[in-house]
Amino acid sequence: MADSDNKLAWITGGGSGIGKALALALDQQGWQVVISGRTEPKLQAVAEQGRHIVYLLLDVTDRAQNLAVFNTLCEQYGLPNLVVLNAGDYTPMPAEAFDLDLIYRLNQVNYLGVMNGLASVLPAMTARQSGQILLMSSVAGYRGLPDAAPYGATKAALINFAESLHRPLKAQGVMLRVVNPGFVTTQLTAQNSFKMPAQITTTEAAKRIVQGLDSDSFEMTFPKRFTYVLKVLRCLPYRLYFFLIGKITGK
Ligand SMILES: NC(=O)c1ccc[n+]([C@@H]2O[C@H](COP(=O)([O-])OP(=O)(O)OC[C@H]3O[C@@H](n4cnc5c(N)ncnc54)[C@H](OP(=O)(O)O)[C@@H]3O)[C@@H](O)[C@H]2O)c1
């Protein structure tokens, strides 16, 4: 079977939200999907909803477990040609409630958890010289946003990291890309007390990601009516950025 026909995907954080919707969307398209996360009943329920979805329990913050799970996956199903390092966590942090434990937690999951996944996957993919890896980042990583410092910093780190490795890995046949969604309705965004502009469903988000798989662009971002506004804000000088973001958010 040609590698492009080998539709095997591994999705971390596949038991809920965007990861779950993506697993189901890929399943519909005939992919074999392996999902991972910490909560077995959630993973089991997703597996039961699909035709070709199986699960392997994983806490992405556990470095050794990442490699062990990836090795099991490869032994049982083969080397995936799509890996979506999607597991993530979010809690807002107002400036007056600086929370070092939260900062550590989000770094462990959102940044180091993704690094653990990458470390497991990259040697096999570069040896095979093919494969696609999506890092689930966020438009919150474009620039600092009020109340989102611990989260946004982890997502900015992912974008920066992937920018550094994108070209060298492409030369080795491996596509490392970022997904930067705007607001998607999930348990994470349910914590936001403000009105979220241009919010989309997980099904819509999954559809956009599946549509983007055949592109070779570095970034997938959606919905563009919102994320392109943030792209413009990203280019502004600091004084103007802080003025506008203050006007928009009231913070
Ligand atoms: N929703 C949005 O608007 C939005 C926008 C931009 C980016 N994102 C990103 O999209 C990704 C998915 O988030 P979501 O919104 O779909 O929320 P979600 O439903 O909470 O999904 C996050 C998933 O990550 C898993 N997870 C958390 N910690 C983990 C750990 N230590 N090890 C393994 N799995 C872990 C969770 O499962 P368990 O708790 O069972 O392990 C959960 O299934 C995140 O990276 C998030 O930052 C979301």
Side-chain angles (χ1 to χ4, degrees), residues 12-251:
T12 65
S16 63
I18 300 169
K20 171 184 174 178
L22 180 60
L24 292 170
L26 290 173
D27 178 74
Q28 284 282 320
Q29 302 223 344
W31 287 69
Q32 168 72 59
V33 185
V34 182
I35 54 173
S36 288
R38 294 168 302 179
T39 316
E40 188 157 20
K42 288 194 326 193
L43 297 168
Q44 206 164 14
V46 178
E48 281 165 12
Q49 264 181 269
R51 286 168 302 174
H52 305 106
I53 304 179
V54 294
Y55 68 87
L56 293 169
L57 277 171
L58 169 66
D59 182 337
V60 296
T61 65
D62 184 324
R63 189 170 158 166
Q65 210 184 87
N66 268 270
L67 186 58
V69 165
F70 181 68
N71 286 340
T72 303
L73 190 165
C74 291
E75 275 160 28
Q76 292 185 359
Y77 306 99
L79 176 58
N81 55 353
L82 172 64
V83 171
V84 187
L85 299 174
N86 161 76
D89 200 355
Y90 163 70
T91 303
M93 190 194 81
E96 59 277 15
F98 194 95
D99 183 345
L100 190 57
D101 288 337
L102 172 64
I103 292 166
Y104 268 79
R105 193 182 90 222
L106 296 194
N107 262 285
Q108 291 291 341
V109 180
N110 296 0
Y111 181 61
L112 294 175
V114 168
M115 294 301 122
N116 288 337
L118 262 184
S120 310
V121 165
L122 269 181
M125 277 199 178
T126 50
R128 189 184 60 184
Q129 299 197 313
S130 73
Q132 176 163 191
I133 305 169
L134 305 182
L135 307 190
M136 186 60 70
S137 183
S138 167
V139 291
Y142 283 174
R143 279 196 105 155
L145 293 167
D147 294 353
Y151 178 77
T154 64
K155 297 302 186 180
L158 290 181
I159 297 170
N160 190 296
F161 193 92
E163 283 173 356
S164 300
L165 284 188
H166 176 73
R167 273 176 57 81
L169 285 177
K170 193 173 178 183
Q172 296 177 65
V174 177
M175 283 297 289
L176 178 65
R177 309 173 64 195
V178 291
V179 184
N180 290 326
F183 292 111
V184 183
T185 310
T186 70
Q187 61 190 8
L188 291 189
T189 44
Q191 301 172 80
N192 289 335
S193 49
F194 58 89
K195 187 168 165 16
M196 291 172 272
Q199 204 175 152
I200 60 170
T201 64
T202 55
T203 308
E204 183 64 26
K207 192 171 141 196
R208 297 298 174 89
I209 296 169
V210 172
Q211 281 169 352
L213 289 179
D214 290 333
S215 147
D216 69 350
S217 64
F218 171 68
E219 180 191 36
M220 289 187 205
T221 184
F222 48 81
K224 291 195 169 64
R225 64 186 184 280
F226 175 62
T227 62
Y228 273 45
V229 174
L230 292 178
K231 274 185 187 294
V232 172
L233 285 176
R234 181 161 67 158
C235 302
L236 298 178
Y238 279 118
R239 198 177 289 276
L240 186 53
Y241 174 71
F242 287 132
F243 172 76
L244 286 175
I245 212 70
K247 282 270 175 221
I248 295 165
T249 65
K251 299 212 172 188

